Amino acid sequence: MPAQTLHFPSPRHLSQLYAGREENLVQAERALGVKLITREAWLKVEGPAEAVAKTEELFNFLNEARTQGMAIRTPDFIRIAEAFARGEGAQLRQLIAEPLVIATNRKSIVPKTLGQKLYLQSMLKHPVVFGIGPAGTGKTYLAMAAAVSALLKNEVQRLILTRPAVEAGEALGFLPGDLREKILPYLRPLYDALHDMLDPEDVARLTEKGVIEIAPLAYMRGRTLANAFIILDEAQNTTPEQMMMFLTRLGEESRMVVTGDITQIDLPRSKQSGLLEVRHILAHVPGIDFHTFSGADVVRHPLVAQIIAAYERYKDPIGTDGDKR
């Protein structure tokens, strides 16, 4: 049986290529049809010649990604191993060959994980992208970066940022203050990201001119949004009717990104989340892409990923194999 031994600078270096989890190597063995043996700083690959070659390509790719400064997490490793098994290595090598930096006025934003890079590339290629996953994965922040970059490059004429004000039941009239004061608490995260990328005076000027619009989802009804980059945040709190309403606002030369966390639905129990439903409806529509993050994609404090994992275990104590976790 053909075999190939791959050598790396150190055991830690090799471990980082498969996110430091032995079970990831087991999944790679299943996907690629090989046997993997690791000792110290080397990895021995045994199996059919074609499978061994694909596995060598996989680890060379992961090694190059690591040298570019990207962290390789479990979802990245599994996704990439399965792609190489399907013979899609060439497309992934192109991913690494093209460095991706999003430039804004205040900073340049570089994806921290392969998952983030795939998400950013998806936003550059598809008119409509869904970014689904827990807090801290960068799904809203990267969408905002892509939107600001498109505006600065004159690829779009305006930014429209929206989220459902579900805490107020979309009925903002009873709240004190003018419209801006009513909606600010619900849209604060979008403002925070915006001020991280543009100077405050530019945000104020562009908002006053209508180039940047930040408004509750209820204010999108009846409009056609052309030449715009539109972001719907907290989309798990839309109803199916609101989701359809929002998606059908898409006008010519416009792009949409929908972000949400399906574990944080604040709708009344009697109402279904539009974000849960939409994947079943639009999964196979050309031009629409779904990118799913997991707790392992979290790039905040390391404890955040552990907190998310602990909550997932608490909510679903029975594993997929029927055993208690």
Side-chain angles (χ1 to χ4, degrees):
M1 182 177 290
Q4 178 71 27
T5 300
L6 310 177
H7 297 273
F8 300 91
S10 69
R12 184 171 180 270
H13 185 113
L14 171 57
S15 175
Q16 288 176 336
L17 300 187
Y18 56 88
R21 298 171 68 92
E22 295 293 330
E23 54 265 40
N24 289 347
L25 291 179
V26 174
Q27 291 211 44
E29 287 179 326
R30 293 172 183 162
L32 291 154
V34 295
K35 180 177 178 60
L36 300 176
I37 303 166
T38 178
R39 295 282 189 279
E40 299 297 326
W42 56 263
L43 178 72
K44 186 176 182 181
V45 187
E46 297 178 348
E50 184 179 355
V52 169
K54 283 183 178 179
T55 305
E56 183 177 4
E57 287 181 16
L58 164 66
F59 279 90
N60 287 338
F61 170 86
L62 293 168
N63 190 46
E64 189 172 352
R66 183 189 175 280
T67 61
Q68 287 191 12
M70 282 185 281
I72 297 162
R73 300 163 188 268
T74 290
D76 298 325
F77 181 83
I78 301 302
R79 186 186 300 124
I80 293 163
E82 291 175 348
F84 271 87
R86 294 192 300 266
E88 298 171 1
Q91 297 95 305
L92 286 174
R93 282 191 295 273
Q94 188 176 2
L95 177 74
I96 291 296
E98 299 174 356
L100 185 56
V101 178
I102 300 294
T104 66
N105 281 359
R106 303 195 73 181
K107 63 183 353 182
S108 292
I109 295 160
V110 180
K112 295 180 180 179
T113 68
L114 283 168
Q116 287 191 347
K117 188 167 187 179
L118 289 166
Y119 177 52
L120 267 176
Q121 287 203 327
S122 179
M123 287 189 281
L124 297 177
K125 293 177 181 177
H126 298 91
V128 179
V129 174
F130 289 81
I132 303 170
T137 52
K139 58 188 185 297
T140 300
Y141 192 84
L142 291 174
M144 189 70 78
V148 170
S149 177
L151 181 66
L152 295 175
K153 292 178 181 177
N154 294 315
E155 294 173 356
V156 295
Q157 295 177 5
R158 52 188 178 144
L159 304 186
I160 299 174
L161 315 170
T162 185
R163 64 192 306 194
V166 70
E167 297 89 343
E170 295 285 1
L172 298 165
F174 72 90
L175 295 175
D178 60 20
L179 176 62
R180 184 178 180 280
E181 291 170 333
K182 291 175 191 289
I183 65 177
L184 185 60
Y186 308 104
L187 304 175
R188 184 78 259 175
L190 298 177
Y191 275 107
D192 289 344
L194 202 54
H195 280 88
D196 207 26
M197 299 168 197
L198 294 173
D199 294 325
E201 55 270 25
D202 289 334
V203 175
R205 177 177 55 83
L206 294 172
T207 302
E208 186 176 345
K209 292 173 65 176
V211 175
I212 296 176
E213 178 183 349
I214 306 180
L217 180 60
Y219 288 74
M220 298 296 110
R221 192 174 301 277
R223 304 174 61 186
T224 299
L225 307 173
N227 297 297
F229 197 118
I230 311 141
I231 298 174
L232 170 59
D233 190 32
E234 298 287 339
Q236 74 276 5
N237 288 327
T238 62
T239 64
E241 294 78 14
Q242 287 175 322
M243 179 65 76
M244 181 181 177
M245 178 276 291
F246 173 76
L247 293 172
T248 54
R249 300 310 94 199
L250 185 67
E252 293 186 3
E253 303 300 323
S254 285
R255 291 147 67 182
M256 278 183 170
V257 178
V258 178
T259 67
D261 178 0
I262 57 174
T263 69
Q264 298 293 328
I265 297 172
D266 298 318
L267 292 168
R269 290 185 180 274
S270 59
K271 292 188 177 181
Q272 183 180 0
S273 168
L275 188 60
L276 283 174
E277 181 187 75
V278 71
R279 172 170 251 156
H280 301 294
I281 299 171
L282 301 180
H284 303 294
V285 176
I288 297 178
D289 189 47
F290 288 83
H291 187 95
T292 303
F293 295 95
S294 76
D297 286 302
V298 171
V299 293
R300 291 180 178 171
H301 191 287
L303 271 177
V304 175
Q306 296 181 43
I307 291 168
I308 291 170
Y311 268 89
E312 287 175 349
R313 288 193 298 271
Y314 177 78
K315 290 181 178 179
D316 183 19
I318 306 299
T320 54
D321 58 359
D323 296 330
K324 287 189 177 181
R325 294 177 180 171

